Structures are given as C-alpha cells and as structure tokens.
Amino acid sequence: MNRLLLFFLLIISVVCQGQGYLDSLPLLHRGEILIIGEYHNVKEIHDLELDVVRHYAEKSQDSVVILLEWPYEKNYYVNRLFSSNDSTLFFDYSDKQYEMYGPSMYNKLMTLYHINQKTHNLKVFCYDNVASTQQKIYIVHDMLNTYPSLPEPILSIRMYLDSSLQAHNSDFRSKVDSFGDVHKFFLSHFNKYRNLYKKTLLPEDFKLLCHKQPSFSNNYDLRESVLYRNVRSHYDRHCLYIAICGATHANKEKILSDKKYKNKRTKPLAWQLNQKIGSPFRQKVHSICVAPYITKYPATVINDTLTIPPKEMEIPVRQIPSAVKRELSDRSEQIAVKRTNLILEPELRNQFDAYILIHTAHTTVPGNRERQDEIW
C-alpha cells in the first residue's frame, strides 16, 4: 500500500524524446500488476506501451507477463511465435482484409517477440473473449493445416474449410452470415468427434478449440467478470504483470454504464482485480489512462472538456482537467505524465493513478484516409 501512495505523490511533465516518463513509472514487485488503459488504435500509444514493456523487461530479474486484450483464440499465433519462432501464419492472418487491425497487432506482437529475444523473460497471453466467426474459422483453418497428416473425418473438415475460405477470400466483410454457417458446421463436427480431435491434436491446440465464448447479451458486468477470471488464471506470485486494455477496463472505480447496458453501475476489470476478496492482485493494482491530448476525431473539445463518443472510445473519464492539459501547453512536449493526487474532482482522482497524455497521434487503422495523417 505504501508503494501505491508513493506512486500518487509525483507530478511530472517530461519530453518524449528522452523517454523520461519511464522513470516515473511505479516500481513493480512480484505479484503486482500495471494496467495500461489505452485510447485504441493510436500509433504513438502503441509505441509507448512497448517502451513500457521494454523498460520493465530489461530491469526485472523475474518473468514479466504481458496480457493483451485480444481474442483468446489468438493465443494460437502467440504460442507458435514464442515457442517455435514461427510468425508466418500470424502475418498471413493479419494481412487479410477482414482483420481491420491486423497490421498494428502484428507489429505489436513482433516487437514483444524481439524484446523477449533480448531479455528472455516475457510471457504473452491474450485474455479477451470477443472474437468474430471469421477470426475463429481462420484460426482453426491455420491450425489444422499445420498437421502434415490427419485422420478422417478431420481431414475432410480441413478440406471443407480450405474450400470455404477460398470462396470467401475476395470479400470477407460481405460474407458474415455464411461464415457463421461454416463456424456452426465446424462446431457440430468438433463436438461429434471430440475424442478423435483430442488424440490427434497437441494438448494446447485441443484446449484452444474447447474454449467457449460466452454471450454477453449487453451485460457489461459479465464481460468484465470474464476478463477478470481470464487475467486471474495467469497469476503466479513470482511474476510481474502488465495488462493492456481499453481505458474503461482499467478504471479502478465502479462506473456508470452506457444506457444500452442493463446494469446501472459496472465493476471494471481493474476494480475487480484491486478490490475483490480472493483476488490475487488485491490492493496491488497500478492503473494508468493513456489518451491523446486534444483530438479532432473522434473526440471533440467543448468548454475545455475532452468528450469522447462512446461508440468510438469508452474512456469513462468524460473530462480531463485543465491542470492536466496545461502540462502540454508547450507544443514541444509530446508526452505528459500527470499524477492524480492533486486533481480536485474525486471521481477523476480515484479512477486512475495517473494520466499519460499524447500530444501528437496518428491512427493505426489501415485504409482510413481521413485519420491516417491526422495530427491531434
């Protein structure tokens, strides 16, 4: 607890080029977790997160577990990369048109891989439970094609997936319904021949195929609880942890949900990790909100308040105080770290331990010309 109090006491404004903000990060000890709540799809934020990972990996004598808010199924590619040095399949998967965020995801994972080549202490896991049917089918297809020989009827299902994907390669996005049909057909096949799959596939591959994605049905609390269970499942008291996720999940306070959700107040991932009785991370959570300073799109500035449409970004902080923004009054300062102990608004002060504001930001979403070269 004293370490967290020390973390609150500093207000630091730094210049990006020197990466001085890294020295202001908390000193992580075994069994503690740093949650980075990001503004999604911003290149400079991705770069910052990788610098943070490199910072801890180079300084730590312990294993550093990196938890990515990516669909659980993508652990297949992560495992192949870190265990077999094979990035071919993930590169091909990320390059497909339907995978909107593929290139940035590929670059992030490859950077983590190269960091680990130097430090040899990273463990990387995907812990989200949201994946489209296209993603699931493509991963199953890739998995089965890595086996040189397969018994019938698994061989037949592989050939079926080959022909289905070939028929859809020209336009993934317009074929969502038929992809759903392909996925249902595979699931029925897998359930019918489950024992044969278990005998044929590697244990980690079979485990991945057994993974079930719950239906959240607009129940935001359920989604946060699933994320909590997934993060908790990787706990090892001898490791340090860094979780990267949307800023909503990194909130250490209960938050008011969007109107479309049934729950009036939600317990985010960070709150559950830090407060739940039985959580291995109880009172061991450091949380940072990382966001652009001022944006033209998708956020707007009204009366000195940064407002973010919920459809584009779910940061629960509807305003970032002027005191924080003034840290970036000089355009030469690209990154400002603001500790929250001097923020007057209690709700803002308690949600995160610090804000990191990015002055210049570019989108990582390919093909979006309106955002590609935008300076925020």
Side-chain angles (χ1 to χ4, degrees), residues 264-294:
K264 292 184 178 180
R265 281 203 173 268
T266 294
K267 300 172 183 176
L269 168 65
W271 184 94
Q272 295 193 40
L273 291 172
N274 199 48
Q275 298 292 340
K276 261 193 172 183
I277 296 175
S279 169
F281 297 104
R282 184 173 169 84
Q283 300 302 314
K284 298 178 183 178
V285 176
H286 307 269
S287 182
I288 296 174
C289 174
V290 188
Y293 169 52
I294 293 178

PDB file of all heavy atoms in Angstrom, residues 264-294:
ATOM      1  N   LYS A 264     -26.740  -0.544 -14.089  1.00  0.00           N
ATOM      2  CA  LYS A 264     -26.570   0.882 -13.851  1.00  0.00           C
ATOM      3  C   LYS A 264     -25.117   1.212 -13.545  1.00  0.00           C
ATOM      4  O   LYS A 264     -24.592   2.225 -13.978  1.00  0.00           O
ATOM      5  CB  LYS A 264     -27.475   1.330 -12.702  1.00  0.00           C
ATOM      6  CG  LYS A 264     -28.960   1.273 -13.040  1.00  0.00           C
ATOM      7  CD  LYS A 264     -29.786   1.821 -11.894  1.00  0.00           C
ATOM      8  CE  LYS A 264     -31.268   1.810 -12.268  1.00  0.00           C
ATOM      9  NZ  LYS A 264     -32.124   2.332 -11.168  1.00  0.00           N
ATOM     10  N   ARG A 265     -24.472   0.372 -12.762  1.00  0.00           N
ATOM     11  CA  ARG A 265     -23.054   0.591 -12.462  1.00  0.00           C
ATOM     12  C   ARG A 265     -22.278  -0.692 -12.709  1.00  0.00           C
ATOM     13  O   ARG A 265     -22.762  -1.785 -12.434  1.00  0.00           O
ATOM     14  CB  ARG A 265     -22.861   1.076 -11.031  1.00  0.00           C
ATOM     15  CG  ARG A 265     -23.177   2.554 -10.888  1.00  0.00           C
ATOM     16  CD  ARG A 265     -22.489   3.173  -9.681  1.00  0.00           C
ATOM     17  NE  ARG A 265     -22.685   4.614  -9.698  1.00  0.00           N
ATOM     18  CZ  ARG A 265     -21.856   5.485 -10.253  1.00  0.00           C
ATOM     19  NH1 ARG A 265     -20.764   5.040 -10.840  1.00  0.00           N
ATOM     20  NH2 ARG A 265     -22.091   6.766 -10.227  1.00  0.00           N
ATOM     21  N   THR A 266     -21.088  -0.518 -13.207  1.00  0.00           N
ATOM     22  CA  THR A 266     -20.264  -1.652 -13.609  1.00  0.00           C
ATOM     23  C   THR A 266     -18.992  -1.702 -12.778  1.00  0.00           C
ATOM     24  O   THR A 266     -18.445  -0.669 -12.408  1.00  0.00           O
ATOM     25  CB  THR A 266     -19.907  -1.520 -15.105  1.00  0.00           C
ATOM     26  OG1 THR A 266     -21.105  -1.641 -15.876  1.00  0.00           O
ATOM     27  CG2 THR A 266     -18.927  -2.591 -15.537  1.00  0.00           C
ATOM     28  N   LYS A 267     -18.529  -2.909 -12.520  1.00  0.00           N
ATOM     29  CA  LYS A 267     -17.274  -3.113 -11.805  1.00  0.00           C
ATOM     30  C   LYS A 267     -16.216  -3.491 -12.837  1.00  0.00           C
ATOM     31  O   LYS A 267     -16.124  -4.650 -13.242  1.00  0.00           O
ATOM     32  CB  LYS A 267     -17.427  -4.224 -10.771  1.00  0.00           C
ATOM     33  CG  LYS A 267     -18.490  -3.938  -9.715  1.00  0.00           C
ATOM     34  CD  LYS A 267     -18.733  -5.151  -8.830  1.00  0.00           C
ATOM     35  CE  LYS A 267     -19.837  -4.888  -7.819  1.00  0.00           C
ATOM     36  NZ  LYS A 267     -20.143  -6.096  -7.011  1.00  0.00           N
ATOM     37  N   PRO A 268     -15.403  -2.516 -13.267  1.00  0.00           N
ATOM     38  CA  PRO A 268     -14.415  -2.800 -14.322  1.00  0.00           C
ATOM     39  C   PRO A 268     -13.368  -3.816 -13.883  1.00  0.00           C
ATOM     40  O   PRO A 268     -13.230  -4.123 -12.688  1.00  0.00           O
ATOM     41  CB  PRO A 268     -13.779  -1.429 -14.583  1.00  0.00           C
ATOM     42  CG  PRO A 268     -14.735  -0.441 -14.009  1.00  0.00           C
ATOM     43  CD  PRO A 268     -15.387  -1.120 -12.855  1.00  0.00           C
ATOM     44  N   LEU A 269     -12.634  -4.291 -14.853  1.00  0.00           N
ATOM     45  CA  LEU A 269     -11.569  -5.257 -14.604  1.00  0.00           C
ATOM     46  C   LEU A 269     -10.631  -4.795 -13.500  1.00  0.00           C
ATOM     47  O   LEU A 269     -10.335  -5.554 -12.570  1.00  0.00           O
ATOM     48  CB  LEU A 269     -10.783  -5.487 -15.903  1.00  0.00           C
ATOM     49  CG  LEU A 269      -9.460  -6.254 -15.787  1.00  0.00           C
ATOM     50  CD1 LEU A 269      -9.709  -7.681 -15.330  1.00  0.00           C
ATOM     51  CD2 LEU A 269      -8.717  -6.224 -17.118  1.00  0.00           C
ATOM     52  N   ALA A 270     -10.142  -3.551 -13.580  1.00  0.00           N
ATOM     53  CA  ALA A 270      -9.178  -3.058 -12.588  1.00  0.00           C
ATOM     54  C   ALA A 270      -9.791  -3.019 -11.195  1.00  0.00           C
ATOM     55  O   ALA A 270      -9.120  -3.332 -10.201  1.00  0.00           O
ATOM     56  CB  ALA A 270      -8.663  -1.682 -12.987  1.00  0.00           C
ATOM     57  N   TRP A 271     -11.059  -2.617 -11.111  1.00  0.00           N
ATOM     58  CA  TRP A 271     -11.729  -2.592  -9.804  1.00  0.00           C
ATOM     59  C   TRP A 271     -11.793  -3.993  -9.226  1.00  0.00           C
ATOM     60  O   TRP A 271     -11.507  -4.200  -8.030  1.00  0.00           O
ATOM     61  CB  TRP A 271     -13.137  -2.020  -9.941  1.00  0.00           C
ATOM     62  CG  TRP A 271     -13.842  -1.886  -8.615  1.00  0.00           C
ATOM     63  CD1 TRP A 271     -13.896  -0.781  -7.818  1.00  0.00           C
ATOM     64  CD2 TRP A 271     -14.579  -2.914  -7.924  1.00  0.00           C
ATOM     65  NE1 TRP A 271     -14.618  -1.052  -6.672  1.00  0.00           N
ATOM     66  CE2 TRP A 271     -15.052  -2.351  -6.705  1.00  0.00           C
ATOM     67  CE3 TRP A 271     -14.880  -4.243  -8.207  1.00  0.00           C
ATOM     68  CZ2 TRP A 271     -15.801  -3.078  -5.787  1.00  0.00           C
ATOM     69  CZ3 TRP A 271     -15.621  -4.977  -7.279  1.00  0.00           C
ATOM     70  CH2 TRP A 271     -16.084  -4.395  -6.094  1.00  0.00           C
ATOM     71  N   GLN A 272     -12.171  -4.961 -10.045  1.00  0.00           N
ATOM     72  CA  GLN A 272     -12.298  -6.327  -9.550  1.00  0.00           C
ATOM     73  C   GLN A 272     -10.952  -6.885  -9.108  1.00  0.00           C
ATOM     74  O   GLN A 272     -10.848  -7.533  -8.059  1.00  0.00           O
ATOM     75  CB  GLN A 272     -12.922  -7.216 -10.629  1.00  0.00           C
ATOM     76  CG  GLN A 272     -14.357  -6.817 -10.974  1.00  0.00           C
ATOM     77  CD  GLN A 272     -15.069  -7.855 -11.800  1.00  0.00           C
ATOM     78  OE1 GLN A 272     -14.931  -9.054 -11.567  1.00  0.00           O
ATOM     79  NE2 GLN A 272     -15.857  -7.414 -12.777  1.00  0.00           N
ATOM     80  N   LEU A 273      -9.903  -6.638  -9.891  1.00  0.00           N
ATOM     81  CA  LEU A 273      -8.576  -7.128  -9.513  1.00  0.00           C
ATOM     82  C   LEU A 273      -8.101  -6.493  -8.215  1.00  0.00           C
ATOM     83  O   LEU A 273      -7.461  -7.150  -7.383  1.00  0.00           O
ATOM     84  CB  LEU A 273      -7.569  -6.832 -10.626  1.00  0.00           C
ATOM     85  CG  LEU A 273      -7.733  -7.631 -11.931  1.00  0.00           C
ATOM     86  CD1 LEU A 273      -6.795  -7.075 -12.996  1.00  0.00           C
ATOM     87  CD2 LEU A 273      -7.458  -9.113 -11.706  1.00  0.00           C
ATOM     88  N   ASN A 274      -8.438  -5.226  -8.022  1.00  0.00           N
ATOM     89  CA  ASN A 274      -7.918  -4.477  -6.870  1.00  0.00           C
ATOM     90  C   ASN A 274      -8.770  -4.607  -5.614  1.00  0.00           C
ATOM     91  O   ASN A 274      -8.258  -4.446  -4.500  1.00  0.00           O
ATOM     92  CB  ASN A 274      -7.796  -2.996  -7.240  1.00  0.00           C
ATOM     93  CG  ASN A 274      -6.863  -2.241  -6.311  1.00  0.00           C
ATOM     94  OD1 ASN A 274      -5.753  -2.698  -6.042  1.00  0.00           O
ATOM     95  ND2 ASN A 274      -7.302  -1.098  -5.829  1.00  0.00           N
ATOM     96  N   GLN A 275     -10.068  -4.917  -5.782  1.00  0.00           N
ATOM     97  CA  GLN A 275     -10.980  -4.864  -4.642  1.00  0.00           C
ATOM     98  C   GLN A 275     -11.602  -6.208  -4.254  1.00  0.00           C
ATOM     99  O   GLN A 275     -11.963  -6.401  -3.091  1.00  0.00           O
ATOM    100  CB  GLN A 275     -12.119  -3.876  -4.939  1.00  0.00           C
ATOM    101  CG  GLN A 275     -11.676  -2.446  -5.156  1.00  0.00           C
ATOM    102  CD  GLN A 275     -11.136  -1.805  -3.890  1.00  0.00           C
ATOM    103  OE1 GLN A 275     -11.403  -2.258  -2.780  1.00  0.00           O
ATOM    104  NE2 GLN A 275     -10.353  -0.749  -4.051  1.00  0.00           N
ATOM    105  N   LYS A 276     -11.738  -7.102  -5.195  1.00  0.00           N
ATOM    106  CA  LYS A 276     -12.456  -8.347  -4.898  1.00  0.00           C
ATOM    107  C   LYS A 276     -11.718  -9.176  -3.846  1.00  0.00           C
ATOM    108  O   LYS A 276     -10.505  -9.374  -3.929  1.00  0.00           O
ATOM    109  CB  LYS A 276     -12.607  -9.188  -6.170  1.00  0.00           C
ATOM    110  CG  LYS A 276     -13.962  -9.051  -6.834  1.00  0.00           C
ATOM    111  CD  LYS A 276     -14.154 -10.133  -7.871  1.00  0.00           C
ATOM    112  CE  LYS A 276     -15.577 -10.120  -8.401  1.00  0.00           C
ATOM    113  NZ  LYS A 276     -15.824 -11.208  -9.371  1.00  0.00           N
ATOM    114  N   ILE A 277     -12.477  -9.641  -2.867  1.00  0.00           N
ATOM    115  CA  ILE A 277     -11.904 -10.583  -1.903  1.00  0.00           C
ATOM    116  C   ILE A 277     -11.563 -11.869  -2.657  1.00  0.00           C
ATOM    117  O   ILE A 277     -12.377 -12.415  -3.393  1.00  0.00           O
ATOM    118  CB  ILE A 277     -12.899 -10.873  -0.764  1.00  0.00           C
ATOM    119  CG1 ILE A 277     -13.160  -9.594   0.034  1.00  0.00           C
ATOM    120  CG2 ILE A 277     -12.374 -11.979   0.149  1.00  0.00           C
ATOM    121  CD1 ILE A 277     -14.218  -9.748   1.106  1.00  0.00           C
ATOM    122  N   GLY A 278     -10.359 -12.333  -2.481  1.00  0.00           N
ATOM    123  CA  GLY A 278      -9.913 -13.522  -3.202  1.00  0.00           C
ATOM    124  C   GLY A 278      -9.099 -13.218  -4.435  1.00  0.00           C
ATOM    125  O   GLY A 278      -8.497 -14.127  -5.015  1.00  0.00           O
ATOM    126  N   SER A 279      -9.066 -11.949  -4.842  1.00  0.00           N
ATOM    127  CA  SER A 279      -8.236 -11.591  -5.986  1.00  0.00           C
ATOM    128  C   SER A 279      -6.760 -11.644  -5.590  1.00  0.00           C
ATOM    129  O   SER A 279      -6.368 -11.045  -4.591  1.00  0.00           O
ATOM    130  CB  SER A 279      -8.565 -10.166  -6.467  1.00  0.00           C
ATOM    131  OG  SER A 279      -7.586  -9.728  -7.403  1.00  0.00           O
ATOM    132  N   PRO A 280      -5.939 -12.335  -6.360  1.00  0.00           N
ATOM    133  CA  PRO A 280      -4.508 -12.384  -6.031  1.00  0.00           C
ATOM    134  C   PRO A 280      -3.836 -11.027  -6.188  1.00  0.00           C
ATOM    135  O   PRO A 280      -2.728 -10.821  -5.677  1.00  0.00           O
ATOM    136  CB  PRO A 280      -3.955 -13.410  -7.027  1.00  0.00           C
ATOM    137  CG  PRO A 280      -4.920 -13.368  -8.175  1.00  0.00           C
ATOM    138  CD  PRO A 280      -6.266 -13.106  -7.573  1.00  0.00           C
ATOM    139  N   PHE A 281      -4.492 -10.091  -6.894  1.00  0.00           N
ATOM    140  CA  PHE A 281      -3.942  -8.755  -7.098  1.00  0.00           C
ATOM    141  C   PHE A 281      -4.577  -7.716  -6.163  1.00  0.00           C
ATOM    142  O   PHE A 281      -4.426  -6.521  -6.389  1.00  0.00           O
ATOM    143  CB  PHE A 281      -4.156  -8.308  -8.551  1.00  0.00           C
ATOM    144  CG  PHE A 281      -3.449  -9.160  -9.565  1.00  0.00           C
ATOM    145  CD1 PHE A 281      -4.149 -10.085 -10.329  1.00  0.00           C
ATOM    146  CD2 PHE A 281      -2.079  -9.044  -9.760  1.00  0.00           C
ATOM    147  CE1 PHE A 281      -3.506 -10.860 -11.270  1.00  0.00           C
ATOM    148  CE2 PHE A 281      -1.418  -9.820 -10.697  1.00  0.00           C
ATOM    149  CZ  PHE A 281      -2.128 -10.737 -11.456  1.00  0.00           C
ATOM    150  N   ARG A 282      -5.278  -8.149  -5.157  1.00  0.00           N
ATOM    151  CA  ARG A 282      -5.976  -7.226  -4.259  1.00  0.00           C
ATOM    152  C   ARG A 282      -5.005  -6.205  -3.665  1.00  0.00           C
ATOM    153  O   ARG A 282      -3.992  -6.562  -3.070  1.00  0.00           O
ATOM    154  CB  ARG A 282      -6.667  -8.013  -3.152  1.00  0.00           C
ATOM    155  CG  ARG A 282      -7.517  -7.154  -2.211  1.00  0.00           C
ATOM    156  CD  ARG A 282      -8.284  -8.062  -1.261  1.00  0.00           C
ATOM    157  NE  ARG A 282      -8.906  -7.317  -0.178  1.00  0.00           N
ATOM    158  CZ  ARG A 282     -10.072  -6.703  -0.261  1.00  0.00           C
ATOM    159  NH1 ARG A 282     -10.752  -6.750  -1.394  1.00  0.00           N
ATOM    160  NH2 ARG A 282     -10.567  -6.053   0.778  1.00  0.00           N
ATOM    161  N   GLN A 283      -5.331  -4.914  -3.865  1.00  0.00           N
ATOM    162  CA  GLN A 283      -4.516  -3.788  -3.403  1.00  0.00           C
ATOM    163  C   GLN A 283      -3.096  -3.809  -3.995  1.00  0.00           C
ATOM    164  O   GLN A 283      -2.162  -3.270  -3.413  1.00  0.00           O
ATOM    165  CB  GLN A 283      -4.434  -3.764  -1.864  1.00  0.00           C
ATOM    166  CG  GLN A 283      -5.790  -3.634  -1.190  1.00  0.00           C
ATOM    167  CD  GLN A 283      -6.542  -2.381  -1.630  1.00  0.00           C
ATOM    168  OE1 GLN A 283      -5.970  -1.305  -1.689  1.00  0.00           O
ATOM    169  NE2 GLN A 283      -7.829  -2.539  -1.937  1.00  0.00           N
ATOM    170  N   LYS A 284      -2.961  -4.437  -5.168  1.00  0.00           N
ATOM    171  CA  LYS A 284      -1.660  -4.498  -5.836  1.00  0.00           C
ATOM    172  C   LYS A 284      -1.781  -4.019  -7.282  1.00  0.00           C
ATOM    173  O   LYS A 284      -0.994  -4.407  -8.143  1.00  0.00           O
ATOM    174  CB  LYS A 284      -1.113  -5.932  -5.824  1.00  0.00           C
ATOM    175  CG  LYS A 284      -0.850  -6.504  -4.431  1.00  0.00           C
ATOM    176  CD  LYS A 284      -0.361  -7.936  -4.532  1.00  0.00           C
ATOM    177  CE  LYS A 284      -0.157  -8.554  -3.163  1.00  0.00           C
ATOM    178  NZ  LYS A 284       0.279  -9.981  -3.267  1.00  0.00           N
ATOM    179  N   VAL A 285      -2.773  -3.177  -7.563  1.00  0.00           N
ATOM    180  CA  VAL A 285      -3.047  -2.738  -8.924  1.00  0.00           C
ATOM    181  C   VAL A 285      -2.608  -1.293  -9.123  1.00  0.00           C
ATOM    182  O   VAL A 285      -3.000  -0.405  -8.363  1.00  0.00           O
ATOM    183  CB  VAL A 285      -4.558  -2.864  -9.259  1.00  0.00           C
ATOM    184  CG1 VAL A 285      -4.847  -2.304 -10.648  1.00  0.00           C
ATOM    185  CG2 VAL A 285      -4.992  -4.328  -9.169  1.00  0.00           C
ATOM    186  N   HIS A 286      -1.783  -1.052 -10.130  1.00  0.00           N
ATOM    187  CA  HIS A 286      -1.424   0.286 -10.594  1.00  0.00           C
ATOM    188  C   HIS A 286      -2.163   0.502 -11.920  1.00  0.00           C
ATOM    189  O   HIS A 286      -2.146  -0.372 -12.792  1.00  0.00           O
ATOM    190  CB  HIS A 286       0.078   0.419 -10.838  1.00  0.00           C
ATOM    191  CG  HIS A 286       0.915  -0.001  -9.674  1.00  0.00           C
ATOM    192  ND1 HIS A 286       1.327   0.866  -8.697  1.00  0.00           N
ATOM    193  CD2 HIS A 286       1.436  -1.214  -9.341  1.00  0.00           C
ATOM    194  CE1 HIS A 286       2.071   0.230  -7.808  1.00  0.00           C
ATOM    195  NE2 HIS A 286       2.150  -1.045  -8.179  1.00  0.00           N
ATOM    196  N   SER A 287      -2.787   1.651 -12.102  1.00  0.00           N
ATOM    197  CA  SER A 287      -3.576   1.871 -13.310  1.00  0.00           C
ATOM    198  C   SER A 287      -3.263   3.232 -13.923  1.00  0.00           C
ATOM    199  O   SER A 287      -3.213   4.241 -13.226  1.00  0.00           O
ATOM    200  CB  SER A 287      -5.072   1.781 -12.991  1.00  0.00           C
ATOM    201  OG  SER A 287      -5.840   1.956 -14.162  1.00  0.00           O
ATOM    202  N   ILE A 288      -3.040   3.222 -15.250  1.00  0.00           N
ATOM    203  CA  ILE A 288      -2.719   4.444 -15.982  1.00  0.00           C
ATOM    204  C   ILE A 288      -3.684   4.586 -17.150  1.00  0.00           C
ATOM    205  O   ILE A 288      -3.972   3.617 -17.854  1.00  0.00           O
ATOM    206  CB  ILE A 288      -1.271   4.394 -16.520  1.00  0.00           C
ATOM    207  CG1 ILE A 288      -0.263   4.340 -15.358  1.00  0.00           C
ATOM    208  CG2 ILE A 288      -0.971   5.608 -17.396  1.00  0.00           C
ATOM    209  CD1 ILE A 288       1.160   4.141 -15.811  1.00  0.00           C
ATOM    210  N   CYS A 289      -4.177   5.798 -17.360  1.00  0.00           N
ATOM    211  CA  CYS A 289      -5.004   6.099 -18.524  1.00  0.00           C
ATOM    212  C   CYS A 289      -4.146   6.832 -19.553  1.00  0.00           C
ATOM    213  O   CYS A 289      -3.541   7.862 -19.247  1.00  0.00           O
ATOM    214  CB  CYS A 289      -6.193   6.971 -18.116  1.00  0.00           C
ATOM    215  SG  CYS A 289      -7.200   7.539 -19.504  1.00  0.00           S
ATOM    216  N   VAL A 290      -4.074   6.299 -20.766  1.00  0.00           N
ATOM    217  CA  VAL A 290      -3.283   6.900 -21.828  1.00  0.00           C
ATOM    218  C   VAL A 290      -4.229   7.386 -22.921  1.00  0.00           C
ATOM    219  O   VAL A 290      -5.025   6.612 -23.450  1.00  0.00           O
ATOM    220  CB  VAL A 290      -2.280   5.900 -22.430  1.00  0.00           C
ATOM    221  CG1 VAL A 290      -1.330   6.613 -23.393  1.00  0.00           C
ATOM    222  CG2 VAL A 290      -1.487   5.209 -21.335  1.00  0.00           C
ATOM    223  N   ALA A 291      -4.153   8.678 -23.268  1.00  0.00           N
ATOM    224  CA  ALA A 291      -5.093   9.236 -24.250  1.00  0.00           C
ATOM    225  C   ALA A 291      -4.445  10.402 -24.981  1.00  0.00           C
ATOM    226  O   ALA A 291      -3.512  11.023 -24.479  1.00  0.00           O
ATOM    227  CB  ALA A 291      -6.369   9.706 -23.549  1.00  0.00           C
ATOM    228  N   PRO A 292      -4.939  10.707 -26.189  1.00  0.00           N
ATOM    229  CA  PRO A 292      -4.480  11.920 -26.871  1.00  0.00           C
ATOM    230  C   PRO A 292      -4.897  13.160 -26.090  1.00  0.00           C
ATOM    231  O   PRO A 292      -5.911  13.157 -25.383  1.00  0.00           O
ATOM    232  CB  PRO A 292      -5.205  11.853 -28.220  1.00  0.00           C
ATOM    233  CG  PRO A 292      -5.612  10.441 -28.375  1.00  0.00           C
ATOM    234  CD  PRO A 292      -5.871   9.938 -27.000  1.00  0.00           C
ATOM    235  N   TYR A 293      -4.116  14.225 -26.220  1.00  0.00           N
ATOM    236  CA  TYR A 293      -4.371  15.481 -25.504  1.00  0.00           C
ATOM    237  C   TYR A 293      -5.618  16.169 -26.040  1.00  0.00           C
ATOM    238  O   TYR A 293      -6.585  16.417 -25.341  1.00  0.00           O
ATOM    239  CB  TYR A 293      -3.136  16.369 -25.654  1.00  0.00           C
ATOM    240  CG  TYR A 293      -3.310  17.798 -25.205  1.00  0.00           C
ATOM    241  CD1 TYR A 293      -3.810  18.098 -23.948  1.00  0.00           C
ATOM    242  CD2 TYR A 293      -2.945  18.842 -26.039  1.00  0.00           C
ATOM    243  CE1 TYR A 293      -3.952  19.401 -23.537  1.00  0.00           C
ATOM    244  CE2 TYR A 293      -3.077  20.155 -25.634  1.00  0.00           C
ATOM    245  CZ  TYR A 293      -3.581  20.438 -24.376  1.00  0.00           C
ATOM    246  OH  TYR A 293      -3.722  21.720 -23.978  1.00  0.00           O
ATOM    247  N   ILE A 294      -5.646  16.477 -27.334  1.00  0.00           N
ATOM    248  CA  ILE A 294      -6.809  17.069 -27.989  1.00  0.00           C
ATOM    249  C   ILE A 294      -6.982  16.347 -29.318  1.00  0.00           C
ATOM    250  O   ILE A 294      -6.012  16.112 -30.024  1.00  0.00           O
ATOM    251  CB  ILE A 294      -6.625  18.574 -28.242  1.00  0.00           C
ATOM    252  CG1 ILE A 294      -6.574  19.331 -26.908  1.00  0.00           C
ATOM    253  CG2 ILE A 294      -7.749  19.115 -29.117  1.00  0.00           C
ATOM    254  CD1 ILE A 294      -6.341  20.817 -27.080  1.00  0.00           C
TER     255      ILE A 294
END
